[in-house]
Amino acid sequence: MSILERKDFESVAQSTFKDLANRGARPARGYSIRMTSGTSVDGPLTIVWETKYTAQGLSQGAKCFLLLHGLLTVRLGNVLHMMTIGAEEVRMLVLDNADISPEVCALLLDFLPDHIYSFPSFLTQLAPQLDRRVREQVLALGFGGAGLTQAHYDFFAHWFPNAKMRVVYMSNETGSISDDGCGSLPRNHYHPKPTVTVDIGEVDEDGIGDLYVSTRLTERTTVNNYRIGDVGRWAEKKCACGKEKMFEVLGRRGYDFIKLGSAILRQEECDRVAELCEDLFEDYLLEASVETKGTVILGKVRLLVYRARGAFTKTDIEAIVSRVSTNLFLSYTKTLADFVDTGFLLPLEVVPQEEPFVKGYKNVRLKQIAQ
Amino acid sequence: MNTALQTLIHTIQNHTTEWYRVLWGGETEFSSLPLLHQKDFIDTPLSKRRYKDEKSLVKIVHTPQGPFLSEWSFADIAKEEWGVLSERPFVYLSDPHGAIEKSMWCYEQNRVPLIGEKNPDIATVAAKKYQIDSLIADPLSIAKLLPFLESRTEKLAAITLVAEVFSPQELLHLSKYADVVRLVLAFSETGVLGIAQLSNAPMFILPANCFVENVSDGLVFTKTTQYVTPIIRYASGISGEVSEGGRAFTVKTYA
């Protein structure tokens, strides 16, 4: 199988621009120019979507649509799409980060969105500032792109008690990959969109492998077996809705999902344990690498920790090592301490930092260090 | 009185929305209708000043006195003269709400726009990729694009600068980057009030659906289109001179 890598996507992107230039009588509204956010090696990509192939349909029938997203190209693409799938007289409000203030939140009492499509982190900032009457009117929350953590689900269920939540798995390169969700899917599980082929390749002993996506971007441009950068596995059971094909997305390889042999480091789990250690440190970065000792390859986890309130003592460091090692699950049943005991991982190394961490894109805290 | 304006005023006076009726009191003579100010938008929720229901974009307008909502139907956005038609327009504005609006204007003209991300480096990478041929910007945002404009070997077909305030002297250097540089005077809540070619002393031409009065408060604008919130005797705070024919004006001081 020939795999299309991120570094080779530029030729696909160029092809989509040619298709746009040759659109002929096809209306402009059928196309949008997208930029990716550039989390991968080569920086942002500019690409054209023909929206009938790429768009999601989460906010069908919305009357008052509130959109929260960082990228302007995504905001515009969604406004354009809502012209087609929203109600006949749909009204749309697109918020910017700079808009979030008590005064603007008060204005939303005058708009009363029934559908919100958002990036999770954006909505977590906004939700607590919204009047209860605004939040109770929301019937649907839609999220595209990265999945939601359990903490997100609980948070949004609390703040928007009447809203159904749906997540579409998608990327800025390919558009939507999953369908709009059946309502029965477990968290971070998706059904492939009927027009998209999802394959999982280079599968390990746990059934986990790289996700490859084949889809159409424009009338003339398709991508085949694009390694999207996420890892996942096929679900063993059928979905409650009856659809057979269901896949689970586990994270972004090397960013919020790192595998050291059979030990899996996931940012969601690391964040959970970090909360348990709030009395010990305020922020962290986790580095994972592999070391060779003689003929043995060992995994190594290094936890960089920071707190504003003062230097770490030896006792603090020992407490962090103990608490993180015994609480951080790296498989369904085994903690980091278990992996150390079986000789697969080196003992956790904790390294205090004197300066706060520079926040990266999506607040990713995991880093895979190359050998 | 202009027929379209008569019709609009009649519609407003008989509408279920009371906003203008309350503002006007019992006044019926057009030239005696109380002036509309931006403060009236700030003080009145959008839901109380909506005169039609259509597919629309709602913008947040930030002012020193506080924010307010301004709603524009896509059909009305299409009719405002935001830009010059070109094949590959680039919209790069400081106000993200305005950027979406002007981009949707491009779509309504059957053109696919590139909307520029805030970071000018990222925006210009995309602009080069798309081989843009025109630009809609504002005086602040265009300053960030100067390295890109300077690097181009061909002039753009047009640069349109949209703003409430212009310092024409500071913009004259832009003429080397485009065949045409236009200034579009507008407030978020009013739409286009005047369009001028860039010069030392620009003469703003009124759009076809707009007329202006010069009163003691300054230039007062009325637009004959039934927008979601119509614009009737809007006190712009701009002082200026209206041409003899009444279809153009120059600005002495901006609001």
Side-chain angles (χ1 to χ4, degrees), chain A residues 10 13-14 17 20 23 26-29 31-33 35 44 46 70-73 75-76 79-80 83 86-96 98-99 103-104 107 110-111, chain B residues 44-48 50 53-60 62 67-69 71 74 87 96-97 99-100 103-104 107-108 110-118 122 125-126 129-130:
Chain A
E10 179 59 36
Q14 281 178 19
F17 274 94
L20 176 60
R23 69 178 166 98
R26 285 199 286 273
R29 278 201 202 172
Y31 297 84
S32 66
I33 300 175
M35 292 208 68
T46 316
L71 291 174
L72 279 154
T73 49
R75 297 182 211 180
L76 179 62
V79 165
L80 189 67
M83 301 272 286
E88 185 58 36
E89 289 158 1
V90 61
R91 303 163 69 208
M92 310 180 211
L93 172 57
V94 184
L95 281 191
D96 186 77
D99 290 326
E103 293 79 17
V104 168
L107 290 177
D110 197 24
F111 180 73
Chain B
T44 312
L46 173 62
S47 53
K48 302 283 187 215
R50 295 181 74 237
D53 279 310
E54 285 182 11
K55 226 174 273 252
S56 63
L57 180 70
V58 179
K59 301 181 290 179
I60 299 198
H62 293 276
F68 64 92
L69 299 179
E71 182 172 349
F74 290 104
E87 290 310 306
H97 297 276
I100 300 283
S103 299
M104 287 309 297
Y107 273 115
E108 294 292 317
N110 200 28
R111 300 296 193 272
V112 178
L114 170 66
I115 188 170
E117 299 297 342
K118 293 177 189 180
I122 293 177
V125 161
K129 181 62 148 315
Y130 193 37

Side-chain angles (χ1 to χ4, degrees), chain A residues 141-277:
Chain A
L141 296 177
F143 303 94
L148 297 183
T149 63
Q150 188 59 52
H152 279 135
Y153 264 95
D154 296 339
F155 179 94
F156 295 131
H158 167 74
W159 289 102
F160 300 97
N162 300 318
K164 288 189 177 146
M165 273 182 267
R166 295 280 171 93
V167 182
V168 167
Y169 181 55
M170 60 191 302
S171 77
N172 266 330
E173 294 102 65
T174 63
S176 53
I177 296 164
S178 75
D179 65 16
D180 298 336
C182 59
S184 308
L185 286 160
R187 194 167 58 83
N188 296 333
H189 287 65
Y190 308 95
H191 298 303
K193 196 169 161 182
T195 53
V196 177
T197 302
V198 174
D199 286 305
I200 300 180
E202 296 169 43
V203 168
D204 65 17
E205 64 279 5
D206 299 313
I208 296 170
D210 286 319
L211 288 165
Y212 304 136
V213 173
S214 302
T215 185
R216 181 171 293 283
L217 300 178
T218 64
E219 184 80 19
R220 295 190 190 95
T221 302
T222 56
V223 287
N224 295 302
N225 301 313
Y226 172 55
R227 192 199 306 262
I228 198 166
D230 289 338
V231 292
R233 61 184 157 205
W234 290 110
E236 286 169 4
K237 296 180 196 169
K238 212 156 78 167
C239 184
C241 73
K243 283 182 190 164
E244 293 219 359
K245 276 207 153 185
M246 177 165 67
F247 64 95
E248 180 186 5
V249 178
L250 294 161
R252 194 144 190 85
R253 190 179 281 289
Y255 286 87
D256 54 9
F257 176 95
I258 296 174
K259 207 151 186 268
L260 293 174
S262 56
I264 297 173
L265 289 140
R266 298 187 67 178
Q267 179 158 333
E268 187 180 347
E269 172 64 4
C270 295
D271 286 345
R272 183 190 70 81
V273 173
E275 272 190 40
L276 299 176
C277 301

